[in-house]
Amino acid sequence: MKSWSALEKDPFRAFFPLGAILAFAGVIPWISQYFTHAEYPRDLHRFLMINGFLLSFVCGFLMTAIPRFTGTHLATKTEILITLSALILASMGAFFPPQTWDFFFSAVAVASLALFAFRRFLRKTTNPPHTFVFIGVGLFLWVASNLGQFASSIGISLPDAWSAIFQDLFSNGAIMSLILGVGGRLIPGILGWQEIVVRQRKQYETADPFFNRVPLGIWVSVLVFLSSFFFESLIPLQLCFFMRGTVTLYFGIRYWVIYKFPSTRSFLTWSVWLCCWCLALGYFVPAFWIGATAHALHVLFIGGFSLLTLLVSTRVIFAHSPVGTGIEKTSPSILVFTSLILLSMMTRVTATLWPIIYLDHLGYAATIWVVALITWGWLLASSTKPATIAGH
């Protein structure tokens, strides 16, 4: 079947639309809360955005990219169906507190993705980038954090310290690990630092065992990043954020070269560059803004995670369509939705400064973010042929 052949080659064609729908569903409750003053929709929003929106895009990207990075066979129909079904069931479970089935089926989806990656790693014909160590870390943390919260939701008693660790790994540890893993190779490529990419490839695309080629800096980064979560009950939380921020800033300087303007100049590369600064500094904001941790982390969540997800998916969709990536230089809509998301970020982060109208600011931030998502969807719909996205 031709449509299945297209999905096996480019699984993102199934996962990206699902992720966009779940992103819309995850933010709309904040807008409705503004008008109706209904129950605070924090948990529904959190689970749909992380285990829905972000996980769908992660699955679509990795199931498309990993076969190419490892020189192995494409995704199979069974692998796509299992992962996609688990994502849909998890998203349905998000609507039923205490979200037991969201945790369970999300763990299934991530485990399916991890197995997909592991099989291809074993059969690789070329070594993937050495920063991909963080992909393995991120997938493990995503499964573990979901299983930990699943155990808690079915009545298994966990120490308070472990419950806090699982929640923190879930909300930012797993996702940032994946960004560091993929971004170590992808972001320099997008920003045009080809000389860096070529130098990296000479290091990892060899016949040597993969782990023998991983630099010491990567192992130290993994150790510092992971320990920052498990030390939360032993040292001040701000110090933990500082440790994570140090690792991310190291990647920003060492791999993303964010201290320089993009070598390749386009609306998309400028947007990615701004997003990288949000990622590099995102952990430092809560580290220094004591007492506003949940609010300050939205620099990371909105300006980092959500924006990078939409920007990378834009590059993937354009690169796999007849229009090509040249449109990134001619479409100001990219800068429009980037600016809207950054405005949404600032509105959400500063909401705590106006406690009397705090909930109003959450509604404003959500509305701006939805407008950005619609702008992103309009850009893709108007710039690419429907048949290309559908795979016909």
Side-chain angles (χ1 to χ4, degrees):
M1 186 176 178
K2 187 177 180 181
S3 59
W4 268 112
S5 298
L7 284 180
E8 290 171 348
K9 180 182 178 183
D10 298 321
F12 75 86
R13 301 185 190 279
F15 290 95
F16 285 5
L18 174 62
I21 293 170
L22 295 176
F24 189 81
V27 175
I28 282 296
W30 287 116
I31 301 176
S32 64
Q33 198 278 341
Y34 169 72
F35 287 106
T36 65
H37 299 286
E39 185 179 354
Y40 198 65
R42 181 186 60 187
D43 289 342
L44 177 62
H45 166 74
R46 182 169 171 247
F47 298 130
L48 284 178
M49 295 303 286
I50 296 175
N51 278 342
F53 163 55
L54 292 175
L55 184 52
S56 295
F57 276 87
V58 165
C59 289
F61 176 80
L62 290 180
M63 293 182 79
T64 302
I66 285 177
R68 291 167 169 81
F69 275 116
T70 56
T72 53
H73 63 281
L74 302 175
T76 66
K77 180 179 179 180
T78 301
E79 290 172 324
I80 293 172
L81 282 176
I82 291 175
T83 309
L84 198 61
S85 298
L87 280 169
I88 294 171
L89 290 171
S91 301
M92 293 170 61
F95 288 89
F96 302 98
Q99 285 84 25
T100 300
W101 296 112
D102 175 84
F103 296 132
F104 177 79
F105 284 111
S106 294
V108 171
V110 181
S112 174
L113 177 62
L115 183 60
F116 171 91
F118 184 65
R119 285 173 173 169
R120 282 152 184 81
F121 179 77
L122 291 179
R123 299 169 182 167
K124 65 185 184 302
T125 57
T126 181
N127 280 325
H130 44 248
T131 59
F132 273 34
V133 168
F134 264 104
I135 294 181
V137 172
L139 294 177
F140 172 77
L141 295 181
W142 211 329
V143 171
S145 61
N146 270 295
L147 289 179
Q149 292 178 99
F150 170 75
S152 180
S153 71
I154 62 174
I156 298 177
S157 180
L158 298 173
D160 291 342
W162 277 97
S163 296
I165 289 172
F166 284 135
Q167 291 182 27
D168 226 7
L169 289 174
F170 174 74
S171 61
N172 63 80
I175 301 166
M176 181 57 85
S177 293
L178 291 169
I179 289 174
L180 295 176
V182 175
R185 169 63 178 83
L186 182 67
I187 292 175
I190 292 177
L191 296 182
W193 301 112
Q194 294 300 322
E195 71 280 4
I196 293 177
V197 173
V198 170
R199 186 171 69 248
Q200 289 177 352
R201 294 182 68 172
K202 288 181 179 179
Q203 294 177 358
Y204 62 73
E205 288 189 352
T206 67
D208 296 347
F210 171 72
F211 292 107
N212 290 353
R213 283 287 179 173
V214 177
L216 178 61
I218 297 296
W219 294 120
V220 172
S221 297
V222 170
L223 178 62
V224 173
F225 190 78
L226 285 179
S227 62
S228 73
F229 291 94
F230 294 97
F231 286 170
E232 283 187 358
S233 61
L234 303 175
I235 61 177
L237 183 60
Q238 277 66 37
L239 181 56
C240 295
F241 284 126
F242 189 83
M243 292 168 67
R244 295 166 206 169
T246 300
V247 171
T248 310
L249 184 59
Y250 167 71
F251 269 68
I253 295 172
R254 173 69 175 81
Y255 295 102
W256 307 341
V257 201
I258 56 174
Y259 56 88
K260 294 182 180 179
F261 291 140
S263 178
T264 300
R265 309 290 173 86
S266 71
F267 291 115
L268 186 129
T269 56
W270 280 113
S271 296
V272 170
W273 183 76
L274 290 171
C275 179
C276 286
W277 274 106
C278 291
L279 290 166
L281 300 179
Y283 282 122
F284 289 112
V285 181
F288 291 103
W289 192 0
I290 300 174
T293 299
H295 312 287
L297 276 172
H298 280 78
V299 172
L300 203 65
F301 299 156
I302 300 176
F305 297 166
S306 74
L307 180 55
L308 186 64
T309 296
L310 296 181
L311 290 171
V312 170
S313 62
T314 300
R315 162 56 67 92
V316 171
I317 292 172
F318 283 158
H320 290 77
S321 72
V323 298
T325 58
I327 196 172
E328 296 170 1
K329 296 182 178 180
T330 60
S331 179
S333 297
I334 297 173
L335 200 57
V336 171
F337 78 72
T338 294
S339 300
L340 287 170
I341 288 179
L342 294 178
L343 177 60
S344 173
M345 175 194 76
M346 292 303 301
T347 305
R348 176 61 185 88
V349 170
T350 59
T352 186
L353 300 178
W354 292 276
I356 297 177
I357 54 174
Y358 170 72
L359 290 179
D360 291 349
H361 272 261
L362 301 188
Y364 303 152
T367 301
I368 296 168
W369 199 92
V370 167
V371 173
L373 181 66
I374 293 172
T375 305
W376 172 80
W378 174 85
L379 165 67
L380 297 178
S382 62
S383 302
T384 58
K385 298 178 180 179
T388 301
I389 301 302
H392 295 292

